[in-house]
């Protein structure tokens, strides 16, 4: 028994040493962990503060420091990647989001968020093929609607109308709203491209799809009339435009010139004049007025129409048209015409008889040495707007 005592004492001493070392190590690790937890938010909030103060370079350094202290935090990666994108540093933003996607421990929600951020990086960088693939990879995720909206804009910019139609239909089916008019525009673009390649049947089919997508939309009716007029079918063109006039009087002015030409070709001048006159009374427009002048056969009628229009719609364009008609007909200006023209020119010249601040654009009738809007000194050029 006595011989075992030394060994027992040695074991107890070893156990106490091991316990002491473990306690010290635990205390050291605990302090280090606390210090990292405390330092990481400090760096993060420092970055946010710098960002709010528009010190983006310093904010990036702060976020990088925070990521180094806590490399597993996805939120810091997202903040840094978004900051890179805002600054136009798309390559660095791509690297940040690709790094996130390469992590095997990333939760699915963060993975989808990183995929969406990466798609936005590609889009802003002009890498449209990669952006398209990245956005399409978000089908079936909470980002699907946002991704389809981005894809729709991408396809429209690249004039990929059929893919745009496919995406717009998916958006409608998902309850994102009505895209009928937008789809009709896509089909109209396809029709115009087909006409340019002289594929008449393809253009006609596309135009029928546009009418089916949005029966009340003005553009398909306008294009239908223009196609019929080019084919020499002026009576049918007038019928298409009459429907446009009834449904969309505001857009009818866009077809007024073509309408007058087809009316002359079809021998329906009187009916066209009546319709265009009614349209001009409802929606005054220089385009409609020009179409009416084309239908008036004598100078006296055109001068009378211009005088009436100038009374109701005193625009510089109408004044110029009246002066031009007098010159063309060789008829001197009457006193009443001269007075009316002077009133119109004086009225329309007033907005140009002002001074404009070069710093903020504030306009004033009087010259200021200090701008009342932005308080800049010597920011007003010493000349009126019309003198520029």
């Amino acid at each position: 028994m006595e011989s075992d005592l030394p060994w027992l004492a040695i074991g107890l001493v070893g156990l106490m040493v091991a316990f002491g070392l473990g306690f010290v190590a635990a205390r050291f690790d605990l302090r280090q962990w606390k210090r990292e937890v405390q330092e990481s938010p400090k760096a993060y909030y420092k970055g946010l503060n710098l960002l709010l103060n528009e010190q983006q370079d310093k904010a990036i350094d702060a976020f990088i420091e925070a990521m180094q202290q806590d490399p597993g935090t996805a939120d810091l990666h997202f903040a840094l990647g978004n900051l890179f994108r805002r600054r136009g540093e798309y390559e660095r933003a791509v690297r940040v989001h690709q790094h996130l996607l390469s992590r095997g421990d990333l939760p699915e929600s963060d993975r989808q968020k990183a995929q969406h951020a990466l798609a936005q990086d590609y889009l802003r960088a002009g890498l449209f093929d990669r952006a398209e693939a990245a956005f399409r990879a978000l089908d079936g995720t909470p980002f699907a609607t946002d991704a389809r909206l981005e894809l729709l804009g991408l396809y429209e910019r690249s004039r990929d109308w059929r893919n745009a139609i496919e995406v717009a239909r998916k958006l409608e089916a998902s309850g994102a709203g009505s895209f009928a008019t937008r789809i009709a525009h896509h089909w109209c673009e396809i029709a115009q491209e087909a006409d340019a390649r002289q594929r008449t049947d393809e253009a006609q089919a596309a135009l029928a799809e546009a009418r089916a997508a949005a029966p009340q939309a003005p553009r398909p009716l306008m294009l239908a009339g223009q196609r019929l007029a080019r084919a020499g079918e002026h009576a049918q063109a007038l019928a298409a435009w009459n429907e446009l006039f009834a449904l969309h009087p505001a857009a009818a002015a866009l077809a007024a010139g073509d309408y007058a030409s087809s009316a002359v070709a079809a021998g329906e001048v009187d009916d066209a004049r009546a319709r265009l006159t009614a349209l001009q009374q409802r929606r005054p427009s220089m385009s409609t007025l020009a179409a009416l002048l084309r239908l008036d056969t004598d100078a006296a009628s055109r001068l009378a129409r211009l005088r009436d229009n100038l009374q109701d719609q005193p625009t510089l364009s109408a004044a110029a048209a009246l002066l031009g008609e007098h010159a063309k007909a060789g008829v001197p200006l009457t006193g009443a015409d001269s007075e009316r023209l002077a009133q119109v020119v004086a009225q329309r010249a007033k907005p140009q008889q002002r001074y404009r601040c070069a710093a903020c654009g504030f306009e004033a009738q009087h010259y200021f040495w200090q701008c009342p809007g932005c308080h800049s000194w010597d920011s007003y050029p010493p000349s009126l707007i019309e003198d520029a």
Side-chain angles (χ1 to χ4, degrees), residues 237-242 245 252 255-265 268 271-273 275-276 291 294-295:
L238 291 173
W241 284 321
N242 285 338
F245 286 14
D258 293 332
Y259 188 84
S261 298
S262 287
V264 172
E268 299 185 21
D271 184 62
R273 185 185 292 112
R275 288 181 181 274
L276 288 172
R294 192 180 305 176
L295 297 178

Side-chain angles (χ1 to χ4, degrees), residues 41-99:
K42 284 182 181 178
Y44 179 70
Y45 291 125
K46 177 183 176 184
L48 287 179
N49 185 52
L50 290 167
L51 189 58
L52 290 172
N53 289 323
E54 298 183 358
Q55 296 177 277
Q56 294 188 2
D57 290 334
K58 293 181 179 179
I60 287 174
D61 294 337
F63 282 133
I64 291 175
E65 178 188 347
M67 284 174 56
Q68 290 171 345
Q69 294 171 3
D70 190 3
T73 302
D75 288 339
L76 290 174
H77 287 76
F78 285 125
L80 189 60
N82 292 338
L83 188 54
F84 281 143
R85 190 193 312 128
R86 285 175 54 189
R87 285 172 53 87
E89 299 181 49
Y90 303 118
E91 186 177 350
R92 299 178 77 182
V94 166
R95 286 204 302 268
V96 169
H97 295 129
Q98 282 179 335
H99 171 70

Side-chain angles (χ1 to χ4, degrees), residues 149-191:
L149 287 169
E150 295 282 8
L151 278 172
L152 182 58
L154 177 61
Y155 288 138
E156 288 178 343
R157 285 196 294 274
S158 60
R159 304 185 67 81
D160 188 350
W161 306 117
R162 295 189 183 275
N163 269 327
I165 290 168
E166 175 197 348
V167 172
R169 285 174 173 168
K170 287 182 179 179
L171 283 165
E172 276 196 335
S174 67
S178 174
F179 289 80
T181 303
R182 205 158 171 175
I183 291 172
H185 280 298
H186 300 157
W187 281 117
C188 286
E189 293 287 345
I190 292 173

